[in-house]
Amino acid sequence: MLDVSGLTAGYGHGPVVQDVALQVERGETVALLGPNGAGKSTLLGALSGTLRHRSGHALMDGQDLLTLPTHAIVAAGLVQVPEGRRMFAPLSVEDNLRLGAVRLAGRSASTLAARFDYVYTLFPRLAERRLQRAGTLSGGEQQMVAIGRALMSSPRVLLLDEPFLGLAPLVVDEILSALTALRAQGLTMVLVEQKLDIALPFTSRAHVLIKGRVALTLPSAELARRPDLPRLYFDLAHSAR
Ligand SMILES: Nc1ncnc2c1ncn2[C@@H]1O[C@H](COP(=O)(O)OP(=O)(O)O)[C@@H](O)[C@H]1O
Ligand SMILES: [Mg+2]
């Protein structure tokens, strides 16, 4: 589904992510682990096109995403849920969701309505609050809007950047069960996460990014059984730089 190779990316003063290779199969959920500052968000930004200083390849069904502008990447079906949610605070929940529907531009009103239904079924709380201003929502509800907004364009690959950051355990569970439903429907996902107890049970494979390079790639279940796991916990909890 997604085949990344030789990906190097940064902000114009030296690479932050270097020579990354990463494969994601159709319907697979892959974890991208790594300490703060390892380059996880930079890597997602390079794939989704929000970051311009990038080289290498990111093939999705034979098309190289790195040659495309952001809107064309979304149109190809790769959509990112950014770190920190990035709501349009003065806009309603519904208007925030509508902004995510760019890939449906030009499609029928019933297609759009079906997408709203889909998101509101997944997150009933958003249906209750659809006219509320996004800026007045709780952190968990804002995260639901961020995920819902990405889903509005019917993504084929969803990139999630630390969606649970700063959320209370109950809300984490609520969002995790929505993501579990998406996984059961066969949606392909890449989950950036620092907490192994969330990431490993949810994913089939894990890539560990250390200082901008993939240091380890293996099945999540195998990683969970490794005797050096406490060491990895320790490394992930500490800054790479
Ligand atoms: N907009 C930016 N401009 C310059 N440097 C940045 C920017 N964003 C992140 N960086 C730097 O890139 C490195 C990796 O950051 P990031 O990709 O956010 O890591 P992670 O998501 O793994 O915590 C850090 O050293 C960070 O300071
Ligand atoms: Mg990050």
Side-chain angles (χ1 to χ4, degrees):
M1 185 97 194
L2 182 64
D3 186 1
V4 177
S5 59
L7 179 66
T8 294
Y11 300 90
H13 39 76
V16 166
V17 164
Q18 273 186 76
D19 198 24
V20 164
L22 175 81
Q23 281 86 34
V24 186
E25 304 299 329
R26 189 179 304 274
E28 193 184 22
T29 306
V30 165
L32 184 58
L33 308 166
N36 251 331
K40 304 180 298 298
S41 297
T42 302
L43 174 54
L44 294 196
L47 293 176
S48 64
T50 52
L51 196 152
R52 287 192 306 109
H53 295 278
R54 54 194 178 138
S55 63
H57 301 284
L59 297 179
M60 196 156 107
D61 298 330
Q63 189 176 28
D64 195 342
L65 299 178
L66 298 196
T67 64
L68 304 175
T70 310
H71 64 90
I73 292 172
V74 172
L78 184 110
V79 182
Q80 183 182 358
V81 179
E83 191 174 22
R85 290 131 211 175
R86 313 242 182 96
M87 297 290 91
F88 295 93
L91 299 187
S92 68
V93 166
E94 190 137 309
D95 285 342
N96 268 276
L97 292 179
R98 199 185 316 278
L99 286 171
V102 285
R103 195 179 172 218
L104 302 181
R107 304 278 282 279
S108 70
S110 64
T111 307
L112 187 63
R115 244 17 241 175
F116 273 118
D117 273 356
Y118 176 79
V119 169
Y120 286 147
T121 304
L122 189 70
F123 295 118
R125 277 211 219 194
L126 297 187
E128 291 163 21
R129 293 164 191 279
R130 62 190 192 85
L131 301 179
Q132 190 172 325
R133 283 185 8 193
T136 65
L137 298 172
S138 71
E141 288 159 355
Q142 291 194 9
Q143 188 60 61
M144 292 173 199
V145 173
I147 296 169
R149 187 176 53 192
L151 292 174
M152 285 299 287
S153 61
S154 300
R156 299 166 61 222
V157 178
L158 188 65
L159 309 177
L160 296 142
D161 197 349
E162 304 209 38
F164 307 112
L165 202 65
L167 302 183
L170 269 179
V171 189
V172 169
D173 287 348
E174 199 176 334
I175 292 176
L176 201 49
S177 63
L179 296 182
T180 302
L182 295 174
R183 188 183 60 184
Q185 291 164 19
L187 181 63
T188 307
M189 288 182 272
V190 176
L191 174 68
V192 168
E193 181 52 60
Q194 271 177 288
K195 296 199 188 79
L196 296 176
D197 49 342
I198 292 178
L200 296 184
F202 184 67
T203 55
S204 57
R205 250 160 5 104
H207 293 80
V208 181
L209 198 66
I210 306 278
K211 295 187 180 171
R213 293 177 184 271
V214 174
L216 190 65
T217 298
L218 79 182
S220 301
E222 209 172 295
L223 183 55
R225 284 195 304 269
R226 269 171 80 119
D228 58 351
L229 197 63
R231 172 75 213 175
L232 184 61
Y233 265 102
F234 180 83
D235 286 346
L236 294 188
H238 292 76
S239 243
R241 291 156 202 267

